[in-house]
Amino acid sequence: MSGLFSSANLEQIRAASDIVDVIGSYLPLKRAGANFVALCPFHKEKTPSFNVNPNRQIFHCFGCHKGGDVFTFVKEYENVDFPEAVRRLADRAKIPLEHEKNAGEQQSRHIKERLLQIHEQIAQRWQSALANEASGQIARDYLARRGVPDEAVKLFRLGFAPDLWDDTVNWAKSKGHELALVEQAGLILRKQDGDSYYDRFRGRLMFPICDEQGRVIGFSGRVLSGDEKTAKYVNSPETPIFTKSKVFFGLDKSKRAVLEAGYAIVCEGQLDLIACFMAGVQNVVAPQGTAFTADHARILRRYVEEVVLCFDSDEAGQNATVRSLDNLLASGLAVRVAVVPAPHDPDSFIKASGGPAFKQLIERAEGFFDYYLNRLCATNEVTTDKGRLAVLRGMAEAVHKTGNVVLVDKYAQKTALRLGVTPDAVRAEFRKLSRARAPAPEPVEPPVEESASPQRPSTHEYWLLKLLLQHDDLVAWAAAHLDPGWVQHPLVRQIVSKRLAAHAKDTWSSLAAFLDECETPELRSLVTETTAEPRPIPNPAQQLSDVALRLRNQFIDRQFGVLMQRANQPEVSEAERNDLLRQQQELRRLKRQPIQGGD
């Protein structure tokens, strides 16, 4: 699993990332004896079954059986891959990764850390201006008119940039920040004379834009005056920490709700998202503006398999809905569309009709192609040849992008019904219109049947794992006396073999590090399940000896049964039958012997 990272680098990051501190920053942990417990974040439950063992630096849920070390938790909770989980923990601990140790990488990392620091500090400055300064009254009045509650202002850390040309410049000087670096952060601009700076954001309601970890990386500022010559929104430019096409507003707060709901609602603006979130519809994200990119789709695909588009009801919003299709389909996401009644956007609809009505609107969202067919028929005169051809062309182009012949045929029939023509005629037109522009559908691979998950280990094999993984001092005896071949359960046999190999090679460092060598979730779950319980095992050396003896004898019994079955076959010769009987006698003799040590 370590891949890009050396074991030494991983151990350094792990040692600096206490699992109780890390998980405690995500979940409210309660002490239960030597462990900590919480409601599991990976499945719904009413009684806590999620255990965190600070001594072994592991977690395990006895309900859904997820388990692992601190890297596994961040990977599963944040829904990122293993390298990204390592990077996030390295950032948290301020430990450079090995590939960042050259001078150029260190300088780049240092600049990003400085930019994050500046963004956090200016966010606090603007929050204070909104809450406490007289100049912030215009923003407070605007929020009151829009019905944004105080708790939302605090949760989303809204602020106000004073309507001055040098407020941020003077603030940066007072904090000792280099103005060139503040310019790189996108907060100030250099004047044409090249010798001085002025503020980018002036007299605006400020929305901090955060990464998935909740760190402020940019801003969107809404104008509050009635000057029509001024852009309604001004956003941070691209910086080393902010790429507009790869960031959703609000995802840092909504990602758990998105995972739990199984789908993400995509709306246009910050105030739409805040209104949805405060109305209890929290599985919602917003791109910066209406542009929905391929990167946005890939980010959502890490969390869910379906999105519901809920853009504004005006022409621009509905056009943005249609433009989003290509990137969503390319990422493999299923798409539904919720249409807010004109003249509303999600924010105004919630203010007018309430959160429950908006939830119903989302639940009733129709599939994208049903929505698109309705839109084409509404915007084209279907009683004319020109209008019918426009509908045919639009639907043909859209449905053929899926490469799904069943879906193409389904909407050929629906289109025919709406236009009052035969399905065969529409199918023929679909083929003709799309042949030149649409790629042939990729062949669908037959589904691979998943092998049945193995049964639970027997009591003795389960206890063998507990003893070997909780008592390092017993492993030497096991290496000398225990044959992994005696173990019947495949996962237990793998873990036992790995543990004995680590002893033989002298590579064992900790249980948490051992989890990195367990390639599958099933292996990691079994390891954490057998080690999460902190209660001491009485007389462990004697228990290991008893368990090993029982496993050896069960193995002998299985071999004995195979020999008996073979001996009773009619085609077996007399000489072979005598040899089989001799082998059975040898097994009886071995079973009476104590377990012998290795060479």
Side-chain angles (χ1 to χ4, degrees):
M1 289 178 62
S2 57
L4 299 171
F5 316 104
S6 72
S7 58
N9 204 198
L10 289 175
E11 278 305 308
Q12 184 185 16
I13 297 166
R14 181 187 283 111
S17 305
D18 180 76
I19 197 167
V20 174
D21 290 342
V22 172
I23 295 181
S25 69
Y26 293 95
L27 308 174
L29 295 176
K30 294 183 179 179
R31 183 172 283 280
N35 278 7
F36 291 85
V37 298
L39 291 174
C40 181
F42 304 119
H43 79 288
K44 293 182 179 180
E45 62 178 7
K46 295 181 179 179
T47 303
S49 59
F50 182 86
N51 279 251
V52 181
N53 187 311
N55 183 42
R56 298 189 175 92
Q57 290 292 296
I58 61 168
F59 74 91
H60 183 83
C61 176
F62 289 93
C64 67
H65 302 293
K66 279 190 182 292
D69 62 357
V70 68
F71 296 123
T72 308
F73 178 84
V74 172
K75 174 178 176 291
E76 295 288 340
Y77 190 92
E78 297 282 6
N79 211 44
V80 295
D81 58 18
F82 181 77
E84 179 60 21
V86 174
R87 290 188 187 96
R88 293 191 179 188
L89 286 168
D91 283 344
R92 183 180 186 274
K94 292 183 169 52
I95 293 173
L97 298 172
E98 287 187 333
H99 64 273
E100 297 177 340
K101 289 184 178 178
N102 63 63
E105 291 287 352
Q106 285 187 359
Q107 177 66 13
S108 174
R109 183 185 181 88
H110 176 69
I111 290 174
K112 289 180 179 180
E113 288 176 352
R114 291 287 306 280
L115 293 177
L116 287 169
Q117 180 187 42
I118 290 171
H119 276 76
E120 174 58 31
Q121 290 178 354
I122 194 65
Q124 294 177 18
R125 154 78 187 123
W126 286 334
Q127 280 182 279
S128 177
L130 175 63
N132 305 314
E133 295 183 13
S135 63
Q137 189 62 48
I138 185 175
R140 295 193 290 271
D141 291 343
Y142 174 81
L143 290 169
R145 287 197 306 272
R146 295 295 299 261
V148 181
D150 289 343
E151 58 182 319
V153 172
K154 293 176 182 176
L155 178 63
F156 288 90
R157 304 186 64 189
L158 305 190
F160 174 69
D163 196 7
L164 299 169
W165 289 92
D166 58 358
D167 187 80
T168 301
V169 171
N170 291 333
W171 168 85
K173 290 177 180 177
S174 72
K175 292 290 185 181
H177 295 306
E178 299 172 18
L179 293 185
L181 188 62
V182 182
E183 179 189 16
Q184 191 174 4
L187 300 175
I188 61 176
L189 297 160
R190 190 184 295 267
K191 291 183 179 179
Q192 288 185 349
D193 59 21
D195 295 328
S196 55
Y197 296 87
Y198 63 96
D199 294 1
R200 178 186 295 274
F201 299 102
R202 304 179 305 278
R204 291 177 179 269
L205 177 65
M206 301 303 297
F207 296 86
I209 302 166
C210 299
D211 63 12
E212 292 177 54
Q213 297 168 258
R215 301 177 301 185
V216 181
I217 58 174
F219 292 94
S220 183
R222 192 195 193 284
V223 69
L224 296 171
S225 66
D227 187 354
E228 295 180 358
K229 296 180 181 179
T230 303
K232 187 175 180 181
Y233 280 93
V234 169
N235 297 313
S236 291
E238 304 272 308
T239 72
I241 61 173
F242 177 62
T243 303
K244 181 179 176 180
S245 65
K246 297 182 179 180
V247 178
F248 280 110
F249 177 76
L251 182 57
D252 59 306
K253 296 174 180 62
S254 66
K255 57 189 175 184
R256 291 312 303 171
V258 167
L259 281 169
E260 289 171 5
Y263 66 95
I265 303 165
V266 182
C267 62
E268 282 188 43
Q270 292 95 349
L271 288 173
D272 288 333
L273 182 140
I274 291 172
C276 294
F277 199 92
M278 302 312 291
V281 183
Q282 298 187 345
N283 54 317
V284 59
V285 297
Q288 298 304 303
T290 55
F292 189 94
T293 68
D295 288 319
H296 285 136
R298 281 191 287 270
I299 290 168
L300 288 183
R301 190 65 180 82
R302 295 205 321 259
Y303 291 88
V304 291
E305 296 181 353
E306 181 184 46
V307 301
V308 175
L309 301 177
C310 188
F311 290 168
D312 293 355
S313 59
D314 60 18
E315 192 68 13
Q318 295 309 295
N319 287 339
T321 298
V322 175
R323 287 196 304 270
S324 302
L325 177 66
D326 287 5
N327 290 325
L328 289 166
L329 287 181
S331 68
L333 286 161
V335 189
R336 292 188 290 139
V337 180
V339 180
V340 180
H344 289 296
D345 55 28
D347 177 33
S348 63
F349 180 83
I350 290 170
K351 298 293 192 301
S353 304
F358 184 73
K359 288 181 182 179
Q360 289 183 2
L361 190 77
I362 296 299
E363 289 168 0
R364 293 198 302 265
E366 58 189 347
F368 178 87
F369 294 106
D370 289 306
Y371 156 81
Y372 192 44
L373 179 58
N374 289 334
R375 177 166 169 75
L376 287 171
C377 291
T379 54
N380 293 280
E381 182 54 66
V382 295
T383 59
T384 68
D385 291 341
K386 179 182 177 182
R388 283 191 289 267
L389 186 57
V391 173
L392 280 170
R393 284 174 174 164
M395 287 302 294
E397 181 178 356
V399 297
H400 275 279
K401 290 175 181 177
T402 67
N404 186 314
V405 293
V406 174
L407 194 130
V408 170
D409 189 70
K410 173 183 176 181
Y411 283 96
Q413 294 181 55
K414 287 194 172 190
T415 303
L417 187 62
R418 293 296 295 271
L419 298 182
V421 298
T422 66
D424 285 342
V426 175
R427 290 187 187 103
E429 285 300 308
F430 271 21
R431 287 193 294 271
K432 184 168 65 175
L433 290 168
S434 61
R435 191 175 294 124
R437 71 180 77 171
E442 294 183 7
V444 178
E445 294 290 335
V448 179
E449 291 189 18
E450 295 184 3
S451 57
S453 56
Q455 298 287 329
R456 291 281 300 165
S458 69
T459 300
H460 293 100
E461 293 181 350
Y462 187 85
W463 273 90
L464 175 65
L465 280 186
K466 288 179 74 73
L467 289 160
L468 291 183
L469 295 176
Q470 294 190 35
H471 292 274
D472 294 349
D473 56 319
L474 299 182
V475 177
W477 185 93
H481 297 83
L482 180 73
D483 184 347
W486 298 344
V487 178
Q488 202 168 9
H489 193 279
L491 298 183
V492 177
R493 187 165 58 249
Q494 284 186 63
I495 296 168
V496 170
S497 298
K498 286 178 180 292
R499 182 64 186 94
L500 296 182
H503 171 78
K505 298 174 184 176
D506 197 24
T507 56
W508 177 268
S509 60
S510 68
L511 181 66
F514 180 71
L515 284 167
D516 287 342
E517 305 302 319
C518 297
E519 298 86 358
T520 67
E522 292 78 15
L523 284 173
R524 292 191 292 275
S525 174
L526 194 51
V527 170
T528 54
E529 181 182 350
T530 54
T531 53
E533 177 57 56
R535 287 181 296 183
I537 300 173
N539 198 2
Q542 183 59 51
Q543 290 211 41
L544 178 60
S545 176
D546 293 344
V547 165
L549 181 63
R550 182 66 63 92
L551 292 177
R552 186 206 66 175
N553 289 348
Q554 289 174 348
F555 175 75
I556 290 174
D557 289 342
R558 291 194 296 273
Q559 287 186 307
F560 192 88
V562 171
L563 293 175
M564 283 190 63
Q565 185 178 21
R566 177 61 183 162
N568 290 327
Q569 298 301 313
E571 70 274 11
V572 173
S573 66
E574 190 65 26
E576 184 181 356
R577 184 172 285 106
N578 289 334
D579 184 58
L580 291 169
L581 290 173
R582 182 190 60 76
Q583 292 180 50
Q584 291 176 40
Q585 290 173 353
E586 178 63 18
L587 288 176
R588 290 192 186 94
R589 186 190 67 79
L590 286 175
K591 193 172 179 180
R592 292 192 295 269
Q593 301 296 316
I595 292 179
Q596 303 297 319
D599 294 336

